[in-house]
Amino acid sequence: MKLDNMAGMSFDLVIFGGTGDLAWRKLLPALLQAHRHGTLPPQGRIIGVARDELSDAAWRALIGERLAAVDSDKRPSAEEFERFAQLLHYQRMDLTRPEDYAQLKGRLAERNADVVVMYLATAPQLFTVACEQLGAAGLATPNTRVVLEKPLGHDLESNRAINAAVRGVFSERQVFRIDHYLGKPSVQNLLALRFGNALFEPLWRRETIASIEITIAEQLGVEGRGAFYDQTGALRDMVQNHALQLLCAIAMEPPINAHADAIRDEKLKVLRSLVPWTQATLAQDVVRGQYAAGMLAGQRVRGYRDEDGVAPDSRTETFVALRASIANWRWAGVPFYIRTGKRLAAHEAHIAIHLRAAPHAIYRTPLCGTNRLDIHLQPRDGLTLHLFASASETRSSSAQAAHAAAGAAPALTPVQLDLDFEQRFGAERVGAYERLLLDVIAGRLNLFVRADEQEAAWQWVEPIMQAWDEQNARGEGPRPYAAGTWGPGAASALVARDGNTWVEEC
Protein backbone atom coordinates (compact mmCIF):
# COMPACT_ATOMS: atom_id res chain seq x y z
CA MET A 1 0.00 0.00 0.00
CA LYS A 2 1.34 3.40 -0.94
CA LEU A 3 0.94 6.60 1.00
CA ASP A 4 -0.78 8.20 -2.05
CA ASN A 5 -3.26 10.78 -0.73
CA MET A 6 -1.90 10.43 2.86
CA ALA A 7 1.47 11.98 2.00
CA GLY A 8 1.99 14.99 4.24
CA MET A 9 -1.10 14.16 6.34
CA SER A 10 -0.86 14.68 10.08
CA PHE A 11 -2.89 12.44 12.37
CA ASP A 12 -3.54 11.70 16.02
CA LEU A 13 -4.58 8.13 16.79
CA VAL A 14 -6.02 7.81 20.31
CA ILE A 15 -6.25 4.20 21.53
CA PHE A 16 -8.77 3.90 24.37
CA GLY A 17 -7.64 0.78 26.22
CA GLY A 18 -4.00 1.54 25.46
CA THR A 19 -2.65 -0.96 28.01
CA GLY A 20 -5.10 -3.70 27.07
CA ASP A 21 -4.70 -6.99 25.26
CA LEU A 22 -5.93 -5.78 21.86
CA ALA A 23 -3.63 -2.75 21.86
CA TRP A 24 -0.38 -4.60 22.40
CA ARG A 25 -1.23 -7.85 20.57
CA LYS A 26 -2.81 -6.37 17.42
CA LEU A 27 -2.93 -2.59 17.10
CA LEU A 28 0.58 -1.52 18.05
CA PRO A 29 2.31 -4.38 16.14
CA ALA A 30 0.23 -3.41 13.08
CA LEU A 31 1.19 0.25 13.44
CA LEU A 32 4.83 -0.76 13.87
CA GLN A 33 4.62 -2.77 10.63
CA ALA A 34 3.11 0.20 8.78
CA HIS A 35 5.89 2.41 10.14
CA ARG A 36 8.46 -0.18 9.03
CA HIS A 37 6.88 -0.38 5.55
CA GLY A 38 6.87 3.39 5.20
CA THR A 39 3.10 3.55 4.80
CA LEU A 40 2.29 5.26 8.11
CA PRO A 41 2.26 9.05 7.59
CA PRO A 42 5.34 10.39 9.38
CA GLN A 43 3.44 13.38 10.82
CA GLY A 44 1.62 11.10 13.23
CA ARG A 45 1.10 10.68 16.94
CA ILE A 46 -0.23 7.61 18.75
CA ILE A 47 -1.74 8.32 22.17
CA GLY A 48 -2.50 5.44 24.49
CA VAL A 49 -5.33 6.06 26.92
CA ALA A 50 -6.01 3.99 30.05
CA ARG A 51 -6.53 4.34 33.81
CA ASP A 52 -2.96 3.32 34.70
CA GLU A 53 -0.61 5.97 36.04
CA LEU A 54 2.09 5.99 33.35
CA SER A 55 4.36 8.53 31.72
CA ASP A 56 5.09 8.62 28.00
CA ALA A 57 8.45 6.95 28.71
CA ALA A 58 6.88 4.23 30.88
CA TRP A 59 4.27 3.40 28.23
CA ARG A 60 6.95 3.25 25.54
CA ALA A 61 9.00 0.89 27.70
CA LEU A 62 5.94 -1.32 28.33
CA ILE A 63 5.15 -1.53 24.62
CA GLY A 64 8.80 -2.20 23.83
CA GLU A 65 8.88 -5.16 26.23
CA ARG A 66 5.75 -6.64 24.71
CA LEU A 67 6.81 -6.13 21.11
CA ALA A 68 10.10 -7.86 21.93
CA ALA A 69 8.06 -11.02 22.59
CA VAL A 70 6.20 -11.15 19.24
CA ASP A 71 7.05 -13.46 16.34
CA SER A 72 10.66 -13.08 15.27
CA ASP A 73 9.85 -11.85 11.75
CA LYS A 74 7.82 -8.97 13.21
CA ARG A 75 10.03 -8.23 16.20
CA PRO A 76 11.56 -4.77 15.88
CA SER A 77 15.25 -4.11 16.18
CA ALA A 78 16.31 -1.64 18.84
CA GLU A 79 16.82 1.01 16.15
CA GLU A 80 13.39 0.36 14.57
CA PHE A 81 11.60 0.58 17.89
CA GLU A 82 13.45 3.74 18.89
CA ARG A 83 12.19 5.48 15.73
CA PHE A 84 8.65 4.12 16.21
CA ALA A 85 8.62 5.05 19.91
CA GLN A 86 8.89 8.73 19.02
CA LEU A 87 5.25 8.50 17.88
CA LEU A 88 4.06 6.98 21.19
CA HIS A 89 2.50 9.10 23.94
CA TYR A 90 0.31 8.32 26.92
CA GLN A 91 -2.62 9.95 28.71
CA ARG A 92 -4.25 8.71 31.89
CA MET A 93 -8.05 8.78 31.58
CA ASP A 94 -11.14 7.51 33.31
CA LEU A 95 -13.69 7.23 30.50
CA THR A 96 -16.53 8.28 32.80
CA ARG A 97 -14.91 11.58 33.94
CA PRO A 98 -15.68 14.69 31.81
CA GLU A 99 -12.59 16.51 33.14
CA ASP A 100 -10.34 13.80 31.68
CA TYR A 101 -11.83 14.41 28.23
CA ALA A 102 -11.11 18.11 28.67
CA GLN A 103 -7.44 17.25 29.32
CA LEU A 104 -7.39 15.07 26.19
CA LYS A 105 -8.89 17.94 24.19
CA GLY A 106 -6.12 20.21 25.37
CA ARG A 107 -3.48 17.71 24.32
CA LEU A 108 -5.01 17.26 20.88
CA ALA A 109 -5.21 21.04 20.44
CA GLU A 110 -1.43 21.27 20.80
CA ARG A 111 -1.03 20.65 17.07
CA ASN A 112 -4.52 20.43 15.51
CA ALA A 113 -3.88 17.34 13.35
CA ASP A 114 -5.57 16.86 9.97
CA VAL A 115 -7.24 13.66 11.19
CA VAL A 116 -8.07 12.47 14.71
CA VAL A 117 -8.93 8.78 15.17
CA MET A 118 -10.62 7.62 18.37
CA TYR A 119 -10.08 3.84 18.54
CA LEU A 120 -12.34 2.28 21.19
CA ALA A 121 -10.38 -0.88 22.06
CA THR A 122 -12.47 -1.25 25.23
CA ALA A 123 -15.31 -3.36 26.52
CA PRO A 124 -18.45 -2.73 24.40
CA GLN A 125 -20.38 -1.42 27.41
CA LEU A 126 -18.05 1.60 27.38
CA PHE A 127 -18.75 2.55 23.75
CA THR A 128 -21.85 4.58 24.58
CA VAL A 129 -20.37 6.57 27.45
CA ALA A 130 -17.14 7.22 25.53
CA CYS A 131 -18.98 8.56 22.47
CA GLU A 132 -21.32 10.70 24.59
CA GLN A 133 -18.37 12.16 26.51
CA LEU A 134 -16.45 12.82 23.28
CA GLY A 135 -19.45 14.75 21.99
CA ALA A 136 -19.94 16.70 25.21
CA ALA A 137 -16.25 17.66 25.27
CA GLY A 138 -16.34 18.98 21.72
CA LEU A 139 -14.04 16.22 20.46
CA ALA A 140 -16.41 14.96 17.75
CA THR A 141 -15.29 17.43 15.10
CA PRO A 142 -15.67 16.93 11.31
CA ASN A 143 -12.10 15.59 11.10
CA THR A 144 -12.70 13.00 13.86
CA ARG A 145 -13.20 9.30 13.13
CA VAL A 146 -14.26 6.68 15.64
CA VAL A 147 -13.39 2.99 15.41
CA LEU A 148 -15.63 0.44 17.15
CA GLU A 149 -14.32 -3.04 17.85
CA LYS A 150 -16.49 -6.14 17.87
CA PRO A 151 -18.62 -7.38 19.48
CA LEU A 152 -20.88 -4.39 18.92
CA GLY A 153 -23.53 -5.39 21.40
CA HIS A 154 -24.71 -8.67 22.83
CA ASP A 155 -27.92 -8.94 20.84
CA LEU A 156 -30.10 -6.91 18.47
CA GLU A 157 -31.41 -4.56 21.15
CA SER A 158 -27.98 -3.69 22.56
CA ASN A 159 -26.56 -3.28 19.06
CA ARG A 160 -29.30 -0.80 18.19
CA ALA A 161 -28.72 1.09 21.44
CA ILE A 162 -24.98 1.44 20.81
CA ASN A 163 -25.47 2.55 17.22
CA ALA A 164 -28.13 5.07 18.29
CA ALA A 165 -25.73 6.56 20.85
CA VAL A 166 -22.91 6.70 18.28
CA ARG A 167 -25.20 8.33 15.68
CA GLY A 168 -26.10 10.97 18.24
CA VAL A 169 -22.48 12.16 18.13
CA PHE A 170 -20.93 11.04 14.81
CA SER A 171 -22.21 10.82 11.26
CA GLU A 172 -22.15 7.41 9.55
CA ARG A 173 -19.17 8.41 7.38
CA GLN A 174 -17.15 9.00 10.59
CA VAL A 175 -17.87 5.55 12.07
CA PHE A 176 -15.56 2.62 11.28
CA ARG A 177 -17.00 -0.67 12.62
CA ILE A 178 -14.07 -3.02 12.35
CA ASP A 179 -14.20 -6.69 11.37
CA HIS A 180 -10.57 -7.69 10.94
CA TYR A 181 -11.50 -10.57 8.62
CA LEU A 182 -12.37 -8.00 5.97
CA GLY A 183 -8.79 -6.72 6.12
CA LYS A 184 -7.21 -10.11 5.42
CA PRO A 185 -5.41 -10.28 2.04
CA SER A 186 -7.23 -13.55 1.35
CA VAL A 187 -10.63 -11.84 1.63
CA GLN A 188 -9.43 -9.08 -0.68
CA ASN A 189 -8.44 -11.77 -3.16
CA LEU A 190 -11.89 -13.32 -2.82
CA LEU A 191 -13.44 -10.06 -4.02
CA ALA A 192 -10.82 -9.75 -6.77
CA LEU A 193 -11.50 -13.34 -7.83
CA ARG A 194 -15.19 -12.63 -8.21
CA PHE A 195 -15.26 -9.13 -9.61
CA GLY A 196 -11.90 -8.83 -11.38
CA ASN A 197 -12.20 -11.95 -13.56
CA ALA A 198 -14.89 -12.67 -16.15
CA LEU A 199 -14.03 -16.37 -15.98
CA PHE A 200 -16.06 -17.15 -12.86
CA GLU A 201 -19.17 -15.00 -13.20
CA PRO A 202 -21.08 -17.40 -15.56
CA LEU A 203 -20.40 -20.24 -13.09
CA TRP A 204 -21.19 -18.34 -9.88
CA ARG A 205 -24.83 -19.37 -9.51
CA ARG A 206 -27.23 -22.17 -8.61
CA GLU A 207 -27.08 -23.85 -12.04
CA THR A 208 -23.40 -24.71 -11.51
CA ILE A 209 -22.79 -24.62 -7.76
CA ALA A 210 -24.23 -27.40 -5.60
CA SER A 211 -23.24 -26.14 -2.14
CA ILE A 212 -20.87 -23.78 -0.37
CA GLU A 213 -18.97 -24.45 2.84
CA ILE A 214 -17.43 -21.83 5.13
CA THR A 215 -15.13 -23.17 7.85
CA ILE A 216 -13.31 -21.13 10.50
CA ALA A 217 -11.54 -23.65 12.72
CA GLU A 218 -9.27 -22.97 15.69
CA GLN A 219 -7.09 -25.38 17.60
CA LEU A 220 -6.76 -22.94 20.49
CA GLY A 221 -9.09 -22.92 23.46
CA VAL A 222 -10.16 -19.77 25.29
CA GLU A 223 -6.53 -18.92 26.15
CA GLY A 224 -7.09 -17.11 29.43
CA ARG A 225 -10.20 -15.32 28.17
CA GLY A 226 -12.64 -17.74 29.77
CA ALA A 227 -14.66 -15.11 31.65
CA PHE A 228 -15.16 -13.06 28.47
CA TYR A 229 -15.84 -16.04 26.23
CA ASP A 230 -18.34 -17.60 28.62
CA GLN A 231 -20.52 -14.51 28.14
CA THR A 232 -20.06 -14.52 24.37
CA GLY A 233 -19.81 -17.93 22.71
CA ALA A 234 -19.01 -18.95 19.15
CA LEU A 235 -22.23 -17.63 17.60
CA ARG A 236 -21.64 -14.03 18.74
CA ASP A 237 -17.86 -14.21 18.50
CA MET A 238 -17.56 -15.66 14.98
CA VAL A 239 -20.82 -16.32 13.13
CA GLN A 240 -22.65 -13.01 13.52
CA ASN A 241 -19.69 -11.09 12.13
CA HIS A 242 -16.80 -12.94 10.45
CA ALA A 243 -18.71 -15.87 8.93
CA LEU A 244 -21.63 -13.78 7.69
CA GLN A 245 -19.26 -11.23 6.16
CA LEU A 246 -17.56 -14.07 4.26
CA LEU A 247 -20.96 -15.34 3.15
CA CYS A 248 -21.78 -11.86 1.84
CA ALA A 249 -18.52 -11.67 -0.10
CA ILE A 250 -19.32 -14.99 -1.76
CA ALA A 251 -22.99 -14.39 -2.45
CA MET A 252 -23.29 -10.66 -3.20
CA GLU A 253 -24.13 -9.32 -6.64
CA PRO A 254 -21.46 -7.32 -8.48
CA PRO A 255 -21.52 -3.73 -7.15
CA ILE A 256 -21.84 -0.89 -9.64
CA ASN A 257 -18.38 0.39 -8.60
CA ALA A 258 -15.76 -0.06 -5.89
CA HIS A 259 -17.08 2.70 -3.63
CA ALA A 260 -17.85 1.81 -0.03
CA ASP A 261 -21.63 2.16 -0.11
CA ALA A 262 -21.97 0.35 -3.43
CA ILE A 263 -20.23 -2.68 -1.90
CA ARG A 264 -22.09 -2.46 1.39
CA ASP A 265 -25.46 -2.08 -0.36
CA GLU A 266 -24.92 -5.45 -2.05
CA LYS A 267 -23.83 -7.14 1.18
CA LEU A 268 -26.95 -5.84 2.90
CA LYS A 269 -29.13 -7.36 0.18
CA VAL A 270 -27.59 -10.77 0.91
CA LEU A 271 -28.21 -10.47 4.65
CA ARG A 272 -31.81 -9.45 4.05
CA SER A 273 -32.25 -12.41 1.67
CA LEU A 274 -31.22 -15.02 4.25
CA VAL A 275 -34.20 -17.28 4.88
CA PRO A 276 -35.51 -16.62 8.42
CA TRP A 277 -35.45 -19.39 10.97
CA THR A 278 -38.48 -21.47 11.91
CA GLN A 279 -38.88 -23.91 14.78
CA ALA A 280 -38.31 -26.77 12.35
CA THR A 281 -35.14 -25.36 10.79
CA LEU A 282 -33.75 -24.32 14.16
CA ALA A 283 -34.08 -27.91 15.34
CA GLN A 284 -32.71 -29.49 12.15
CA ASP A 285 -30.24 -27.03 10.65
CA VAL A 286 -28.31 -25.70 13.67
CA VAL A 287 -25.79 -27.64 15.77
CA ARG A 288 -24.06 -26.26 18.85
CA GLY A 289 -21.25 -27.99 20.67
CA GLN A 290 -18.83 -27.56 23.54
CA TYR A 291 -15.38 -29.11 23.67
CA ALA A 292 -14.53 -31.73 26.25
CA ALA A 293 -11.06 -32.97 27.21
CA GLY A 294 -9.14 -34.70 24.46
CA MET A 295 -5.85 -35.12 22.61
CA LEU A 296 -4.61 -32.27 20.43
CA ALA A 297 -1.23 -32.30 18.68
CA GLY A 298 -0.11 -35.12 20.96
CA GLN A 299 -1.03 -33.23 24.14
CA ARG A 300 -3.89 -33.87 26.53
CA VAL A 301 -5.98 -30.68 26.83
CA ARG A 302 -8.74 -29.96 29.31
CA GLY A 303 -12.38 -29.45 28.52
CA TYR A 304 -14.08 -26.06 28.24
CA ARG A 305 -15.78 -26.30 31.65
CA ASP A 306 -12.38 -26.81 33.27
CA GLU A 307 -10.91 -23.63 31.77
CA ASP A 308 -10.15 -20.69 34.07
CA GLY A 309 -13.04 -18.25 34.31
CA VAL A 310 -15.62 -20.69 32.91
CA ALA A 311 -18.58 -21.79 34.99
CA PRO A 312 -18.43 -25.52 35.80
CA ASP A 313 -21.97 -25.99 34.47
CA SER A 314 -21.56 -23.61 31.50
CA ARG A 315 -23.82 -24.10 28.49
CA THR A 316 -21.86 -21.65 26.32
CA GLU A 317 -21.19 -23.03 22.85
CA THR A 318 -17.63 -23.34 21.54
CA PHE A 319 -18.79 -24.82 18.22
CA VAL A 320 -21.54 -23.91 15.76
CA ALA A 321 -22.52 -25.53 12.48
CA LEU A 322 -25.55 -24.39 10.54
CA ARG A 323 -27.22 -24.58 7.16
CA ALA A 324 -28.30 -21.27 5.64
CA SER A 325 -30.36 -20.53 2.53
CA ILE A 326 -30.56 -17.38 0.43
CA ALA A 327 -33.91 -16.54 -1.15
CA ASN A 328 -32.97 -14.98 -4.47
CA TRP A 329 -32.63 -16.08 -8.08
CA ARG A 330 -28.87 -16.61 -8.02
CA TRP A 331 -28.76 -18.86 -4.96
CA ALA A 332 -32.21 -20.46 -4.58
CA GLY A 333 -31.76 -24.10 -3.57
CA VAL A 334 -28.02 -23.84 -2.82
CA PRO A 335 -27.20 -24.69 0.83
CA PHE A 336 -24.56 -22.60 2.60
CA TYR A 337 -22.89 -24.50 5.44
CA ILE A 338 -21.13 -22.45 8.13
CA ARG A 339 -18.92 -24.12 10.71
CA THR A 340 -16.70 -22.60 13.40
CA GLY A 341 -15.27 -23.79 16.67
CA LYS A 342 -12.45 -23.97 19.17
CA ARG A 343 -10.22 -26.95 19.96
CA LEU A 344 -10.85 -28.45 16.54
CA ALA A 345 -8.55 -30.78 14.61
CA ALA A 346 -6.82 -28.01 12.63
CA HIS A 347 -6.21 -24.29 12.59
CA GLU A 348 -7.59 -23.20 9.25
CA ALA A 349 -10.20 -21.10 7.54
CA HIS A 350 -11.44 -21.87 4.07
CA ILE A 351 -14.37 -21.57 1.70
CA ALA A 352 -15.20 -24.61 -0.42
CA ILE A 353 -17.29 -24.07 -3.55
CA HIS A 354 -18.71 -27.48 -4.51
CA LEU A 355 -19.71 -27.64 -8.18
CA ARG A 356 -22.44 -29.84 -9.56
CA ALA A 357 -21.61 -33.19 -11.14
CA ALA A 358 -21.37 -33.56 -14.91
CA PRO A 359 -24.88 -34.11 -16.31
CA HIS A 360 -23.91 -37.39 -17.99
CA ALA A 361 -21.12 -39.60 -16.66
CA ILE A 362 -18.90 -41.27 -19.28
CA TYR A 363 -15.97 -41.66 -16.89
CA ARG A 364 -15.54 -43.44 -13.61
CA THR A 365 -14.87 -40.76 -10.99
CA PRO A 366 -13.57 -41.07 -7.41
CA LEU A 367 -16.02 -41.23 -4.52
CA CYS A 368 -16.12 -37.43 -4.23
CA GLY A 369 -16.63 -37.07 -7.93
CA THR A 370 -17.32 -33.37 -8.39
CA ASN A 371 -15.11 -30.37 -9.01
CA ARG A 372 -14.39 -27.97 -6.16
CA LEU A 373 -12.81 -24.56 -5.73
CA ASP A 374 -11.13 -24.10 -2.34
CA ILE A 375 -10.41 -20.54 -1.21
CA HIS A 376 -7.80 -20.72 1.57
CA LEU A 377 -7.97 -17.91 4.14
CA GLN A 378 -5.61 -19.13 6.88
CA PRO A 379 -2.95 -20.26 7.56
CA ARG A 380 -2.50 -20.48 3.80
CA ASP A 381 -3.64 -17.72 1.47
CA GLY A 382 -4.51 -19.03 -1.97
CA LEU A 383 -6.75 -21.04 -4.26
CA THR A 384 -6.96 -24.72 -5.15
CA LEU A 385 -9.10 -25.89 -8.07
CA HIS A 386 -9.91 -29.60 -7.86
CA LEU A 387 -10.30 -31.19 -11.30
CA PHE A 388 -10.16 -34.69 -12.81
CA ALA A 389 -7.84 -36.04 -15.47
CA SER A 390 -7.70 -39.34 -17.31
CA ALA A 391 -5.77 -41.93 -15.34
CA SER A 392 -3.24 -43.62 -17.61
CA GLU A 393 -3.54 -47.40 -17.45
CA THR A 394 -0.48 -49.64 -17.47
CA ARG A 395 -0.43 -51.68 -20.69
CA SER A 396 1.02 -54.71 -18.95
CA SER A 397 -1.95 -55.04 -16.65
CA SER A 398 -4.12 -57.81 -17.98
CA ALA A 399 -6.88 -56.91 -15.54
CA GLN A 400 -7.02 -53.34 -16.83
CA ALA A 401 -6.93 -54.51 -20.43
CA ALA A 402 -9.81 -56.88 -19.83
CA HIS A 403 -11.73 -54.11 -18.10
CA ALA A 404 -11.26 -51.82 -21.12
CA ALA A 405 -12.16 -54.59 -23.57
CA ALA A 406 -15.43 -55.10 -21.74
CA GLY A 407 -16.37 -51.51 -22.57
CA ALA A 408 -16.17 -50.17 -19.02
CA ALA A 409 -15.84 -46.42 -18.57
CA PRO A 410 -12.25 -45.19 -18.25
CA ALA A 411 -11.20 -43.99 -14.82
CA LEU A 412 -10.41 -40.43 -13.73
CA THR A 413 -7.96 -39.35 -11.08
CA PRO A 414 -8.07 -36.15 -9.01
CA VAL A 415 -5.65 -33.36 -9.92
CA GLN A 416 -5.26 -29.87 -8.47
CA LEU A 417 -4.38 -26.45 -9.78
CA ASP A 418 -2.84 -24.63 -6.83
CA LEU A 419 -2.13 -20.92 -6.44
CA ASP A 420 -0.31 -19.77 -3.31
CA PHE A 421 -0.58 -15.99 -2.99
CA GLU A 422 2.33 -15.74 -0.55
CA GLN A 423 4.64 -17.47 -3.03
CA ARG A 424 3.33 -15.32 -5.86
CA PHE A 425 3.36 -11.95 -4.09
CA GLY A 426 5.86 -12.55 -1.30
CA ALA A 427 5.38 -13.32 2.38
CA GLU A 428 5.84 -9.70 3.55
CA ARG A 429 2.25 -8.70 2.88
CA VAL A 430 0.06 -6.14 4.58
CA GLY A 431 -1.70 -7.67 7.60
CA ALA A 432 -5.38 -7.20 8.38
CA TYR A 433 -5.06 -4.64 11.16
CA GLU A 434 -2.30 -2.79 9.33
CA ARG A 435 -4.51 -2.44 6.26
CA LEU A 436 -7.56 -1.40 8.28
CA LEU A 437 -5.74 1.16 10.42
CA LEU A 438 -4.30 2.82 7.32
CA ASP A 439 -7.77 2.86 5.77
CA VAL A 440 -9.19 4.59 8.85
CA ILE A 441 -6.52 7.29 8.69
CA ALA A 442 -7.18 7.72 4.96
CA GLY A 443 -10.97 7.71 5.45
CA ARG A 444 -11.65 4.64 3.28
CA LEU A 445 -14.82 2.87 4.42
CA ASN A 446 -14.87 -0.04 1.94
CA LEU A 447 -13.68 -2.67 4.41
CA PHE A 448 -15.83 -1.57 7.34
CA VAL A 449 -19.34 -2.61 8.31
CA ARG A 450 -22.30 -0.27 8.10
CA ALA A 451 -24.88 -0.08 10.88
CA ASP A 452 -27.70 -1.58 8.81
CA GLU A 453 -25.48 -4.56 7.92
CA GLN A 454 -24.85 -5.27 11.58
CA GLU A 455 -28.51 -4.96 12.44
CA ALA A 456 -29.53 -7.36 9.65
CA ALA A 457 -26.94 -9.90 10.85
CA TRP A 458 -28.19 -9.67 14.46
CA GLN A 459 -31.79 -10.06 13.29
CA TRP A 460 -30.91 -13.28 11.53
CA VAL A 461 -28.96 -14.90 14.40
CA GLU A 462 -31.20 -13.75 17.27
CA PRO A 463 -33.78 -16.58 16.87
CA ILE A 464 -30.90 -19.05 17.32
CA MET A 465 -29.89 -17.39 20.60
CA GLN A 466 -33.51 -17.38 21.78
CA ALA A 467 -33.92 -21.07 20.93
CA TRP A 468 -30.75 -21.92 22.87
CA ASP A 469 -31.96 -19.91 25.87
CA GLU A 470 -35.13 -22.01 25.87
CA GLN A 471 -33.10 -25.21 25.60
CA ASN A 472 -30.89 -24.11 28.48
CA ALA A 473 -33.98 -23.47 30.60
CA ARG A 474 -35.03 -27.06 29.93
CA GLY A 475 -31.59 -28.31 30.93
CA GLU A 476 -30.51 -29.05 27.35
CA GLY A 477 -26.95 -27.90 26.71
CA PRO A 478 -24.59 -28.02 23.73
CA ARG A 479 -23.41 -31.36 22.36
CA PRO A 480 -20.00 -32.38 23.73
CA TYR A 481 -17.11 -33.13 21.37
CA ALA A 482 -13.59 -34.24 22.14
CA ALA A 483 -10.85 -31.65 21.68
CA GLY A 484 -8.86 -32.44 18.55
CA THR A 485 -11.86 -33.58 16.51
CA TRP A 486 -14.03 -31.74 14.00
CA GLY A 487 -16.91 -31.18 16.41
CA PRO A 488 -20.04 -33.14 17.27
CA GLY A 489 -21.15 -35.92 14.96
CA ALA A 490 -24.39 -34.01 14.40
CA ALA A 491 -22.41 -31.55 12.25
CA SER A 492 -21.69 -34.33 9.77
CA ALA A 493 -25.31 -35.41 9.84
CA LEU A 494 -26.31 -31.81 9.07
CA VAL A 495 -24.65 -31.87 5.65
CA ALA A 496 -25.27 -35.58 5.03
CA ARG A 497 -29.03 -34.94 4.89
CA ASP A 498 -28.35 -33.11 1.64
CA GLY A 499 -26.05 -35.87 0.39
CA ASN A 500 -22.94 -33.77 1.11
CA THR A 501 -19.82 -34.01 3.28
CA TRP A 502 -17.36 -31.58 4.83
CA VAL A 503 -14.15 -31.36 2.83
CA GLU A 504 -12.04 -33.36 5.31
CA GLU A 505 -14.55 -36.22 5.14
CA CYS A 506 -14.33 -36.54 1.37
Side-chain angles (χ1 to χ4, degrees):
M1 182 184 293
K2 297 180 180 179
L3 282 175
D4 51 50
N5 64 324
M6 293 196 290
M9 174 189 293
S10 63
F11 74 90
D12 280 335
L13 172 56
V14 183
I15 302 176
F16 291 78
T19 58
D21 184 67
L22 179 66
W24 74 265
R25 281 197 313 111
K26 298 293 185 182
L27 303 183
L28 287 160
L31 290 164
L32 170 65
Q33 285 294 91
H35 187 261
R36 174 185 282 167
H37 294 155
T39 53
L40 191 67
Q43 295 81 19
R45 184 169 59 166
I46 301 165
I47 303 174
V49 165
R51 299 181 69 172
D52 306 79
E53 288 282 2
L54 295 172
S55 63
D56 287 357
W59 192 55
R60 290 169 183 166
L62 177 64
I63 298 306
E65 291 174 7
R66 289 174 169 174
L67 290 179
V70 302
D71 295 339
S72 58
D73 60 332
K74 296 181 179 179
R75 189 179 304 148
S77 66
E79 183 181 351
E80 282 178 326
F81 182 73
E82 184 178 354
R83 290 196 302 269
F84 177 65
Q86 300 309 305
L87 306 180
L88 302 179
H89 304 268
Y90 184 80
Q91 174 106 12
R92 185 194 178 280
M93 279 187 67
D94 181 333
L95 298 190
T96 64
R97 286 167 50 91
E99 53 267 38
D100 287 359
Y101 289 85
Q103 291 178 5
L104 176 63
K105 183 178 181 180
R107 191 159 193 177
L108 295 176
E110 292 170 359
R111 64 191 205 118
N112 195 26
D114 296 326
V115 172
V116 177
V117 177
M118 305 292 186
Y119 199 118
L120 302 187
T122 66
Q125 56 265 32
L126 294 175
F127 290 174
T128 297
V129 66
C131 287
E132 290 173 347
Q133 292 286 357
L134 288 170
L139 285 167
T141 64
N143 69 334
T144 304
R145 293 159 192 163
V146 61
V147 184
L148 305 177
E149 266 287 346
K150 78 168 189 73
L152 201 66
H154 194 71
D155 53 18
L156 179 60
E157 181 181 1
S158 59
N159 174 259
R160 284 173 168 165
I162 291 172
N163 277 322
V166 173
R167 278 194 299 267
V169 180
F170 297 98
S171 67
E172 183 64 28
R173 67 174 181 81
Q174 294 176 282
V175 182
F176 292 73
R177 298 172 188 83
I178 199 165
D179 183 331
H180 74 269
Y181 255 66
L182 296 181
K184 288 179 176 288
S186 50
V187 178
Q188 302 310 301
N189 281 318
L190 171 57
L191 296 174
L193 171 76
R194 287 209 54 200
F195 305 130
N197 299 280
L199 173 66
F200 294 103
E201 175 56 26
L203 308 177
W204 215 263
R205 57 192 68 247
R206 68 185 186 279
E207 292 86 356
T208 311
I209 294 176
S211 65
I212 294 177
E213 169 190 332
I214 301 171
T215 292
I216 306 173
E218 299 178 271
Q219 285 187 315
L220 294 175
V222 294
E223 303 305 302
R225 298 166 66 238
F228 163 79
Y229 195 87
D230 210 35
Q231 300 300 314
T232 306
L235 186 71
R236 293 180 175 93
D237 191 42
M238 299 298 290
V239 176
Q240 184 272 333
N241 39 72
H242 301 328
L244 287 185
Q245 285 294 320
L246 292 177
L247 183 146
C248 288
I250 300 164
M252 63 189 278
E253 295 296 320
I256 59 173
N257 55 45
H259 295 161
D261 278 330
I263 294 171
R264 300 192 292 186
D265 285 346
E266 296 303 332
K267 290 196 295 177
L268 179 62
K269 290 177 185 177
V270 174
L271 292 168
R272 288 178 173 171
S273 298
L274 286 168
V275 176
W277 298 102
T278 65
Q279 286 189 345
T281 57
L282 284 168
Q284 180 172 291
D285 294 341
V286 181
V287 176
R288 65 168 172 160
Q290 186 185 90
Y291 67 82
M295 296 297 296
L296 186 61
Q299 300 289 327
R300 183 77 176 174
V301 297
R302 57 186 174 180
Y304 175 73
R305 294 183 179 184
D306 295 322
E307 299 279 16
D308 295 338
V310 174
D313 59 349
S314 172
R315 292 192 174 93
T316 298
E317 79 286 352
T318 63
F319 175 94
V320 179
L322 57 84
R323 181 189 191 277
S325 300
I326 298 175
N328 63 23
W329 278 41
R330 184 183 290 266
W331 298 114
V334 177
F336 286 74
Y337 305 112
I338 293 174
R339 173 179 59 167
T340 185
K342 291 188 175 294
R343 289 293 190 211
L344 297 182
H347 169 65
E348 65 179 67
H350 66 256
I351 300 165
I353 313 292
H354 298 266
L355 303 180
R356 297 192 183 278
H360 176 63
I362 63 172
Y363 292 97
R364 288 183 289 117
T365 59
L367 179 62
C368 296
T370 59
N371 303 130
R372 189 176 83 237
L373 174 65
D374 288 343
I375 303 168
H376 307 287
L377 305 177
Q378 66 180 29
R380 287 188 58 200
D381 178 9
L383 305 172
T384 302
L385 181 59
H386 298 262
L387 303 171
F388 298 106
S390 177
S392 58
E393 296 182 334
T394 306
R395 292 183 180 180
S396 60
S397 170
S398 58
Q400 290 177 340
H403 194 77
L412 295 178
T413 189
V415 295
Q416 291 84 37
L417 298 177
D418 199 13
L419 173 60
D420 189 310
F421 287 123
E422 288 194 357
Q423 290 184 5
R424 173 62 182 84
F425 298 116
E428 186 68 11
R429 304 178 67 195
V430 176
Y433 271 102
E434 181 182 352
R435 168 68 184 269
L436 294 172
L437 285 164
L438 291 174
D439 278 1
V440 174
I441 295 169
R444 292 186 287 259
L445 282 158
N446 298 51
L447 302 181
F448 297 86
V449 183
R450 206 166 57 191
D452 50 5
E453 286 182 77
Q454 280 192 334
E455 185 169 319
W458 277 115
Q459 283 180 315
W460 190 70
V461 302
E462 190 157 68
I464 303 176
M465 298 188 295
Q466 293 171 347
W468 288 350
D469 287 342
E470 294 170 2
Q471 291 174 12
N472 292 341
R474 298 195 299 266
E476 302 170 13
R479 299 170 186 265
Y481 63 95
T485 67
W486 280 103
S492 296
L494 171 71
V495 298
R497 283 194 291 269
D498 296 325
N500 298 320
T501 62
W502 300 103
V503 291
E504 77 277 356
E505 298 173 337
C506 191

